[in-house]
Amino acid sequence: MEKELLERGPVLDEKGRPIPGYSRRSTLVYDRKAIKAPPWRIKEWDFYQISNDRLCLQFTIGHAAYAGQVSLMLFDIVKGEKLLDLNKILVLPFGSLHMPENAEEDNTLTYDKGGIFMRFETRKDGRVLTCRWGDMEASIRLERKNPDSLVINLPFNEYAHAFYYNHKINCMTAEGFVKNADKEWRFEKDSSFGILDWGRGVWPFHNEWYWSNGTGCLNGEIFGFNLGCGFGNTDTASENILFYKGKSHKLGKVDFTLGKEYLDPWHLTDKEGRLDLTLTPMYDRTTRIKLLWVNNCCHQMFGTFTGKAILDDGTTLQINNIISFAEHAVNNW
């Protein structure tokens, strides 16, 4: 059975080992100084994604200690076309990015160097993402519509001091713009949604995962999900959860079944028969990073989700053409 962490406590015990489980809030306290692994093994990132039925905008500030990244990407899901691709690789950043230690408390994360300005502000249930990079300017406001989220703290079988502390927040409405030279793209609040993928941890050099996250409108209500597998020891917690009408509904383990090609349909099912989704991909947003020891590749597949999901009370939701993504990542970092 999965373990829900309901009482406040540390992410790591006094020996630097993770206290495994999941929660729906920032119940555990992340303390970078409590990590017992070498400093070059620490990984931290804040990743935001804003999307509607056509456009997807992504912001990243993060590091793997010996290499880091600040990036902004905008692309057209329907056309399968990159509109903006701005990326700065940071060599040996270690702790210089000053990443926040909590995903929900008020904080400001800023990168301001070499003509690149990117800032993530968190204030109560709202967030403001700002970026100025050459001729490009972006400003997005996010507002949480569900008090619950998904937080996991996972160990790894490879060694005792490895852990993955991750907080994913979706069901956020989004509004704002991106401007570049004489072009402008807008995200309207009634049709745009945002997610936060906030990760901290130490894990083995080689790793692989599957992840899917989405938010959309269903029967006039906001519906969302977070699904994943393949990463860490999930005996005590998985990252699989549904959101509907402001409430969360926890799922158990989920399988991702792929065809021969990434653009073939994906099938996502759980072990208890509460989830059966098919992703029909439209666009393969592939990213590859090679720098020093880093060698990462991720296929993030955008398309339509159709199928069913069953809530805790037995209510069956029929999912019809919600546009979102599922990804497969293989990393050495």
Side-chain angles (χ1 to χ4, degrees):
M1 293 182 62
E2 296 196 5
K3 179 182 179 181
E4 185 170 6
L5 302 167
L6 300 173
E7 298 182 0
R8 192 167 179 83
V11 168
L12 304 174
D13 66 17
E14 66 279 0
K15 294 184 178 180
R17 300 169 303 189
I19 299 172
Y22 79 92
S23 61
R24 304 169 205 252
R25 307 283 201 285
S26 289
T27 304
L28 299 185
V29 179
Y30 174 70
D31 180 3
R32 196 174 294 109
K33 296 187 295 295
I35 298 174
K36 302 300 183 183
W40 58 85
R41 299 304 306 154
I42 298 173
K43 300 175 178 63
E44 302 177 318
W45 73 81
D46 287 20
F47 168 82
Y48 284 94
Q49 178 174 288
I50 298 89
S51 60
N52 55 30
D53 289 348
R54 180 112 206 175
L55 298 172
C56 183
L57 173 65
Q58 298 176 338
F59 300 83
T60 303
I61 299 178
H63 72 87
Y66 49 78
Q69 181 184 30
V70 177
S71 67
L72 181 145
M73 182 180 290
L74 176 69
F75 48 92
D76 187 313
I77 299 169
V78 177
K79 289 185 177 179
E81 175 186 358
K82 285 185 182 179
L83 304 171
L84 292 170
D85 189 0
L86 306 173
N87 187 49
K88 172 68 173 179
I89 299 297
L90 311 176
V91 179
L92 303 178
F94 286 91
S96 65
L97 295 177
H98 305 293
M99 307 292 291
E101 295 190 335
N102 189 293
E104 293 186 307
E105 293 179 353
D106 290 1
N107 64 73
T108 301
L109 172 61
T110 303
Y111 182 87
D112 187 5
K113 292 182 181 179
I116 302 170
F117 177 83
M118 187 176 289
R119 182 174 61 199
F120 303 156
E121 296 179 82
T122 301
R123 299 290 181 269
K124 294 184 179 179
D125 289 332
R127 295 162 191 265
V128 178
L129 316 178
T130 307
C131 185
R132 294 187 294 273
W133 195 323
D135 293 334
M136 191 283 305
E137 179 183 2
S139 180
I140 300 291
R141 181 176 295 275
L142 301 172
E143 183 179 350
R144 288 186 68 170
K145 295 299 183 180
N146 193 321
D148 287 352
S149 54
L150 188 283
V151 190
I152 53 172
N153 193 31
L154 300 181
F156 290 82
N157 295 330
E158 285 83 348
Y159 54 99
H161 293 150
F163 71 99
Y164 177 47
Y165 181 55
N166 180 243
H167 196 149
K168 292 187 172 76
I169 301 174
N170 54 334
C171 297
M172 292 190 286
T173 58
E175 61 179 330
F177 66 87
V178 181
K179 297 179 181 178
N180 187 57
D182 59 346
K183 296 182 180 180
E184 181 176 359
W185 301 270
R186 300 201 65 86
F187 292 87
E188 304 298 337
K189 188 175 183 178
D190 60 350
S191 59
S192 304
F193 300 98
I195 64 173
L196 167 64
D197 177 19
W198 188 97
R200 307 290 186 265
V202 171
W203 50 82
F205 178 72
H206 175 77
N207 49 79
E208 179 178 7
W209 69 70
Y210 295 86
W211 174 43
S212 180
N213 185 296
T215 303
C217 288
L218 187 64
N219 305 321
E221 303 283 348
I222 292 180
F223 167 76
F225 58 86
N226 186 82
L227 309 169
C229 69
F231 193 60
N233 183 329
T234 58
D235 288 346
T236 54
S238 71
E239 59 179 299
N240 303 310
I241 196 167
L242 306 173
F243 303 98
Y244 187 61
K245 292 186 177 181
K247 295 182 179 180
S248 59
H249 305 262
K250 189 70 177 67
L251 300 176
K253 293 185 178 181
V254 168
D255 292 325
F256 286 57
T257 304
L258 283 63
K260 293 182 178 180
E261 305 292 338
Y262 280 107
L263 284 167
D264 291 340
W266 293 39
H267 197 198
L268 284 65
T269 55
D270 75 321
K271 305 293 188 182
E272 288 80 35
R274 294 180 55 188
L275 182 78
D276 191 331
L277 294 179
T278 296
L279 166 63
T280 302
M282 295 186 292
Y283 175 50
D284 181 353
R285 200 278 296 190
T286 303
T287 54
R288 292 183 174 89
I289 299 175
K290 288 188 176 183
L291 177 69
L292 300 176
W293 303 276
V294 176
N295 186 359
N296 296 348
C297 181
C298 178
H299 290 268
Q300 188 180 27
M301 310 304 297
F302 285 84
T304 56
F305 282 83
T306 301
K308 71 171 185 178
I310 299 177
L311 306 181
D312 289 344
D313 63 2
T315 300
T316 299
L317 301 179
Q318 298 297 327
I319 316 302
N320 187 28
N321 293 330
I322 287 183
I323 294 180
S324 193
F325 75 91
E327 70 178 34
H328 176 216
V330 180
N331 298 324
N332 295 294
W333 62 329

